[in-house]
C-alpha cells in the first residue's frame, strides 16, 4: 500500500473521529477543531478581517512553514477535503482518456489561476472586515458537509439498523441494546450543502482533483510558498522519458519534459516515484538547479488587482446592504427579531467576521437548536449558526458550542458564565396563548422554564391565571417556546431584546450591571397548584368602575360652532 494512502486514511480517520467527538459532553482538552485551525485560508481570512493575530491559528502557520520546506504535503497527505474527493472522484468518468500529453502541466494550465484569484477575492473582502472564508476554505467545506449532511444520514441509518436487529438482541438477552434508539438530528440547508459538495466532486469529469488543482484558495496560498521548496521532486539522468509519471500525476504538476516540475502544483503524493521503472525520481534536496526549473504561475498584475478589487467591492456591497450589521452612520442596526445566536456569541459585526460557517457548533449541539441560517442574517450571514427555539432549546448544563468553535466567534466560557450570557427575551403572543385567549389552564411555559422566569398572575375577567415573562430573569434559552403546546407558531417566543454579547469580560458582571438575576432551579416544580388562580367555577365580579369622563368640547375661535 502506498505511503500516501496510509497517511490519507489516518488523517481522514482522525478528522472524522474528532468530528464525532465534538459533542456533549466534550472530552476536556480534546482539540476537536484542530484541522480547522490548520487551514491557512481560515487563519488568513480571519486575521485580516479581525485586524488581530489569533494564537489559535498557530497550526496554520506551521502548515505554511512546512509548505515552504517540503511543498504541499498537507494537500497530498493530510487534507480531508482532498481525501474525500479522491474517494468520490474514483467513481466519476473522465472527459478524455488520460495520457502523458494531456495531463502534463502545460496542457492543464487553463484554470490554475482561479485559486489565486479566489484567494485575492477573500483577502480583498477581509480588508473591509467581511469574511468570505466559508466560500473557499477546504476544511470548512468538508466539515460542513460531514457535520450537516452526512452525520444525520448515518444517525438515521444506525437507528434503522438497531430497530431491525432488536429481535436478535432480545433473543440474545441484550435487552438494553434492543431498546436503544439514536436521536435523529435535522438541519436546514443540508440539501444545498450536499449539492455543492457533489458538484465539486463531479468536476473530476474535467480533470482529476479539479478543486485541488484549480479552485482551492488554501492550495493557492501554499503554492505561493512552494515554488522552490527545499525538499522537492528531482529526476536523474537514468530517466527514459516514458511519460508514466506525467500520465499518473493527480495534479498535472509534471511538464512535457519529466525532468521539469511545477513544484507549486506538486502535492508530494510520491506516486511518480513509486511507479518509475528506472527509479529515477526521488524527493530530496537537489544538488543542482539545472534541469529542474519551476513552472510559471499564469497570473497578471491586472487580474490580481481585479480579483482583489472584486473582493473589496463585494465587501462594500455587503456592508451597505439592508441587513448589514455595521452601521456606517447614525442609523440603527437592523436585525431580524428572531436572529438569536448561541450563548457566548461575540457582537454581531465581529461574529460574522470570525464565523467560518464550518458547522462544528451545530453538529456538537446536543439539542439540535443550532441551525445554519439562510438569508435571515443577510447575504453575509449565510450558513452562520442561529438558534431555532421552536425546534429545540439550549441545554442549561452545556457550553460545548464555544469549546468547539475554532475562531472564537462563540466564546469558550464556563457554565456559570454561559448561564449569564443572555441571548434574548421571551415574549407572549396573547392571541396564540391558551390561557390568555381561551382562558384555559396551561402552565407548560412555567413548568419547563429552568430560570423561573415565567410567572402566572390573576387578571380581571379570567378564571385562570395567565403567564407573564420576568425579563430580568429570562436568559432566552427557549425551553418555553420549544415546549409550548400550541400548534404552529408558539404562543411564547424568544427574540433578541436584551441580549448580552461582549467580546471580552464577564457575563456575570455585565448581567449584574444590567440588574438581571439568572438563577437555575434546583429541580423543576413538582406541583404547581393549578387552583392557585382558579376561581372555582364562579365568574368573578368585575371591579367597580367610575364613569368614563366626558370629553371636553374643543375650544374654537369666535364665530365658529361645534356639533
Amino acid at each position: 500500500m502506498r505511503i500516501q494512502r496510509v497517511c490519507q486514511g489516518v488523517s481522514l480517520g482522525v478528522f472524522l473521529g474528532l468530528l464525532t467527538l465534538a459533542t456533549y459532553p466534550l472530552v476536556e482538552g480534546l482539540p476537536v477543531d484542530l484541522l480547522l485551525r490548520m487551514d491557512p485560508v481560515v487563519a488568513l481570512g480571519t486575521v485580516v478581517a479581525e485586524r488581530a493575530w489569533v494564537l489559535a491559528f498557530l497550526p496554520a502557520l506551521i502548515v505554511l512553514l512546512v509548505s515552504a520546506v517540503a511543498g504541499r504535503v498537507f494537500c497530498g497527505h493530510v487534507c480531508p477535503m482532498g481525501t474525500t474527493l479522491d474517494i468520490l472522484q474514483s467513481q466519476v468518468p473522465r472527459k478524455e482518456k488520460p495520457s502523458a500529453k494531456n495531463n502534463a502541466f502545460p496542457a492543464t494550465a487553463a484554470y490554475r489561476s482561479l485559486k489565486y484569484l479566489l484567494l485575492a477575492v477573500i483577502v480583498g473582502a477581509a480588508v473591509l472586515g467581511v469574511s468570505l472564508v466559508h466560500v473557499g476554505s477546504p476544511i470548512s467545506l468538508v466539515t460542513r458537509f460531514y457535520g450537516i449532511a452526512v452525520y444525520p444520514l448515518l444517525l438515521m441509518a444506525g437507528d434503522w439498523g438497531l430497530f431491525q436487529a432488536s429481535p436478535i438482541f432480545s433473543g440474545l438477552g441484550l435487552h438494553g441494546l434492543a431498546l436503544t434508539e439514536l436521536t435523529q438530528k435535522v438541519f436546514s440547508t443540508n440539501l444545498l450543502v450536499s449539492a455543492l459538495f457533489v458538484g465539486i466532486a463531479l468536476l473530476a469529469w474535467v480533470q482529476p482533483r479539479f478543486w485541488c488543482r484549480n479552485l482551492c484558495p488554501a492550495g493557492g496560498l501554499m503554492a505561493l510558498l512552494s515554488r522552490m521548496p527545499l525538499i522537492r521532486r528531482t529526476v536523474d539522468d537514468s530517466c527514459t522519458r516514458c511519460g508514466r509519471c506525467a500520465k499518473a500525476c493527480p495534479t498535472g504538476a509534471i511538464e512535457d519534459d519529466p525532468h521539469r516540475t511545477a513544484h507549486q502544483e506538486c502535492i508530494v503524493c510520491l506516486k511518480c516515484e513509486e511507479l518509475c521503472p528506472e527509479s529515477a525520481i526521488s524527493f530530496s534536496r537537489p544538488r543542482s538547479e539545472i534541469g529542474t526549473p519551476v513552472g510559471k504561475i499564469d497570473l497578471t498584475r491586472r487580474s490580481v488587482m481585479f480579483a482583489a478589487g472584486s473582493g473589496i467591492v463585494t465587501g462594500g456591497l455587503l456592508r451597505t446592504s439592508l441587513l448589514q450589521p455595521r452601521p456606517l452612520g447614525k442609523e440603527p442596526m437592523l436585525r431580524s427579531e428572531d436572529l438569536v445566536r448561541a450563548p457566548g456569541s461575540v457582537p454581531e459585526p465581529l461574529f460574522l467576521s470570525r464565523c467560518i460557517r464550518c458547522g462544528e457548533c451545530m453538529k456538537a449541539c446536543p439539542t439540535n437548536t443550532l441551525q445554519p441560517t439562510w438569508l435571515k442574517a443577510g447575504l453575509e450571514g449565510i450558513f452562520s449558526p442561529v438558534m431555532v427555539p421552536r425546534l429545540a432549546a439550549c441545554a442549561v448544563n452545556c457550553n460545548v458550542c464555544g469549546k468547539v468553535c475554532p475562531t472564537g466567534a462563540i466564546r469558550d466560557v464556563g457554565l456559570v458564565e454561559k448561564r449569564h450570557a443572555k441571548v434574548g427575551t421571551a415574549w407572549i403572543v396573547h392571541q396564540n396563548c391558551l390561557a390568555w385567549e381561551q382562558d384555559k389552564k396551561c402552565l407548560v411555559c412555567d413548568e419547563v422554564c429552568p430560570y423561573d422566569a415565567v410567572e402566572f398572575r390573576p387578571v380581571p375577567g379570567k378564571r385562570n391565571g395567565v403567564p407573564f415573562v420576568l425579563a430580568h430573569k429570562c436568559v432566552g434559552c427557549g425551553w418555553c417556546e420549544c415546549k409550548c403546546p400550541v400548534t404552529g407558531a408558539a404562543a411564547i417566543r424568544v427574540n433578541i431584546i436584551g441580549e448580552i454579547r461582549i467580546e471580552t469580560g464577564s457575563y456575570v458582571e455585565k448581567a449584574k450591571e444590567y440588574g438581571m438575576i439568572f438563577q437555575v432551579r434546583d429541580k423543576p416544580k413538582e406541583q404547581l397548584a393549578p387552583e392557585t388562580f382558579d376561581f372555582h367555577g364562579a365568574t368573578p365580579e368585575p371591579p367597580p368602575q367610575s364613569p368614563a369622563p366626558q370629553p371636553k368640547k374643543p375650544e374654537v375661535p369666535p364665530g365658529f360652532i361645534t356639533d
Side-chain angles (χ1 to χ4, degrees):
M1 183 178 292
R2 293 175 51 211
I3 296 177
Q4 184 213 14
R5 293 306 184 197
V6 174
C7 294
Q8 283 186 310
V10 171
S11 177
L12 182 61
V14 170
F15 168 75
L16 295 177
L18 291 176
L19 185 61
T20 302
L21 293 173
T23 187
Y24 176 83
L26 187 70
V27 179
E28 195 65 33
L30 185 67
V32 294
D33 58 346
L34 177 61
L35 271 295
L36 286 162
R37 292 188 284 112
M38 293 176 68
D39 191 330
V41 169
V42 171
L44 179 63
T46 305
V47 167
V48 174
E50 193 177 341
R51 309 289 196 276
W53 167 252
V54 181
L55 186 61
F57 293 135
L58 182 61
L61 182 60
I62 295 175
V63 169
L64 292 176
L65 293 176
V66 171
S67 300
V69 174
R72 292 169 57 181
V73 178
F74 181 84
C75 299
H77 294 77
V78 180
C79 180
M81 179 75 163
T83 305
T84 303
L85 290 178
D86 280 346
I87 296 172
L88 296 178
Q89 291 174 354
S90 62
Q91 308 301 317
V92 178
R94 287 286 305 276
K95 182 179 180 180
E96 56 183 346
K97 188 176 180 179
S99 66
K101 184 176 182 180
N102 63 31
N103 196 47
F105 179 77
T108 59
Y111 309 104
R112 291 188 187 273
S113 61
L114 293 178
K115 58 179 175 288
Y116 303 107
L117 299 180
L118 181 56
L119 177 63
V121 169
I122 292 174
V123 174
V127 169
L128 289 186
V130 175
S131 176
L132 297 180
V133 169
H134 60 283
V135 176
S137 162
I139 312 299
S140 176
L141 286 170
V142 75
T143 303
R144 193 187 314 150
F145 172 66
Y146 278 112
I148 293 178
V150 177
Y151 181 60
L153 292 179
L154 294 178
L155 285 177
M156 184 173 64
D159 189 61
W160 179 85
L162 288 173
F163 176 76
Q164 297 299 321
S166 60
I168 300 175
F169 295 143
S170 298
L172 296 174
L174 303 174
H175 301 292
L177 193 57
L179 298 175
T180 300
E181 293 182 356
L182 298 180
T183 303
Q184 183 62 49
K185 285 200 171 186
V186 294
F187 292 104
S188 61
T189 73
N190 60 337
L191 188 59
L192 177 61
V193 170
S194 302
L196 290 175
F197 201 88
V198 171
I200 292 174
L202 290 177
L203 289 174
W205 183 75
V206 181
Q207 290 178 355
R209 275 209 176 201
F210 188 95
W211 166 266
C212 304
R213 291 190 189 202
N214 307 310
L215 298 178
C216 181
L221 182 57
M222 286 182 276
L224 292 175
L225 301 175
S226 304
R227 297 193 63 191
M228 189 67 72
L230 296 179
I231 300 174
R232 54 186 182 270
R233 179 180 181 270
T234 59
V235 183
D236 60 33
D237 294 335
S238 62
C239 173
T240 60
R241 302 176 186 270
C242 65
R244 293 185 183 181
C245 54
K247 179 181 178 180
C249 182
T251 58
I254 302 173
E255 301 196 12
D256 293 326
D257 181 356
H259 289 85
R260 301 165 60 188
T261 308
H263 298 295
Q264 73 273 8
E265 302 298 333
C266 177
I267 60 173
V268 201
C269 66
L270 307 179
K271 192 171 184 179
C272 57
E273 180 183 23
E274 294 170 2
L275 58 79
C276 179
E278 307 299 334
S279 299
I281 301 173
S282 63
F283 284 79
S284 59
R285 185 171 182 177
R287 299 178 180 179
S288 173
E289 303 300 330
I290 300 177
T292 59
V294 179
K296 295 181 179 179
I297 298 176
D298 187 18
L299 281 177
T300 63
R301 181 178 300 178
R302 177 176 296 180
S303 64
V304 174
M305 294 299 294
F306 178 80
S310 298
I312 294 174
V313 171
T314 300
L317 290 173
L318 291 174
R319 290 200 61 179
T320 55
S321 64
L322 179 62
L323 293 179
Q324 57 87 24
R326 305 170 182 82
L328 300 178
K330 296 182 179 179
E331 67 277 8
M333 180 174 67
L334 297 180
R335 283 176 56 199
S336 298
E337 64 179 13
D338 56 348
L339 186 67
V340 182
R341 300 295 189 186
S345 297
V346 296
E348 189 68 9
L350 185 58
F351 178 86
L352 292 179
S353 297
R354 289 185 180 182
C355 179
I356 60 173
R357 285 67 155 174
C358 61
E360 190 99 346
C361 59
M362 307 176 210
K363 186 270 167 191
C365 179
T367 64
N368 204 196
T369 186
L370 288 181
Q371 294 286 319
T373 186
W374 185 227
L375 294 174
K376 186 180 293 186
L379 283 172
E380 187 179 354
I382 287 178
F383 295 129
S384 61
V386 63
M387 284 178 57
V388 183
R390 191 55 172 149
L391 172 66
C394 179
V396 176
N397 294 322
C398 173
N399 58 352
V400 69
C401 54
K403 292 185 176 298
V404 302
C405 181
T407 62
I410 304 174
R411 294 176 58 189
D412 180 8
V413 294
L415 280 177
V416 175
E417 289 285 331
K418 179 260 183 182
R419 292 169 184 163
H420 287 75
K422 182 181 176 74
V423 298
T425 307
W427 61 288
I428 298 171
V429 183
H430 290 188
Q431 296 87 338
N432 289 19
C433 181
L434 297 176
W436 276 100
E437 183 66 16
Q438 302 180 33
D439 201 6
K440 292 183 177 180
K441 293 180 182 178
C442 180
L443 300 171
V444 173
C445 52
D446 184 27
E447 289 176 325
V448 300
C449 179
Y451 293 90
D452 206 13
V454 180
E455 181 178 86
F456 275 74
R457 305 172 186 167
V459 297
K462 300 290 184 183
R463 297 175 58 252
N464 299 290
V466 292
F468 288 82
V469 175
L470 307 178
H472 67 288
K473 290 186 176 182
C474 178
V475 77
C477 62
W479 280 103
C480 53
E481 181 174 350
C482 171
K483 298 301 181 181
C484 179
V486 175
T487 302
I492 183 168
R493 308 172 192 174
V494 178
N495 63 18
I496 60 175
I497 293 176
E499 64 177 0
I500 300 178
R501 296 175 65 173
I502 52 178
E503 181 182 357
T504 58
S506 170
Y507 290 100
V508 175
E509 295 300 323
K510 186 61 68 172
K512 288 181 180 178
E513 179 183 334
Y514 291 158
M516 297 178 180
I517 304 173
F518 303 133
Q519 186 171 0
V520 181
R521 290 174 176 173
D522 293 335
K523 58 181 179 179
K525 294 182 179 178
E526 296 178 353
Q527 184 176 0
L528 293 175
E531 297 81 9
T532 302
F533 302 127
D534 192 348
F535 294 97
H536 304 287
T539 303
E541 296 182 1
Q545 297 181 357
S546 58
Q550 298 295 324
K552 295 181 179 180
K553 293 184 178 181
E555 297 181 359
V556 296
F560 290 85
I561 59 174
T562 60
D563 295 334

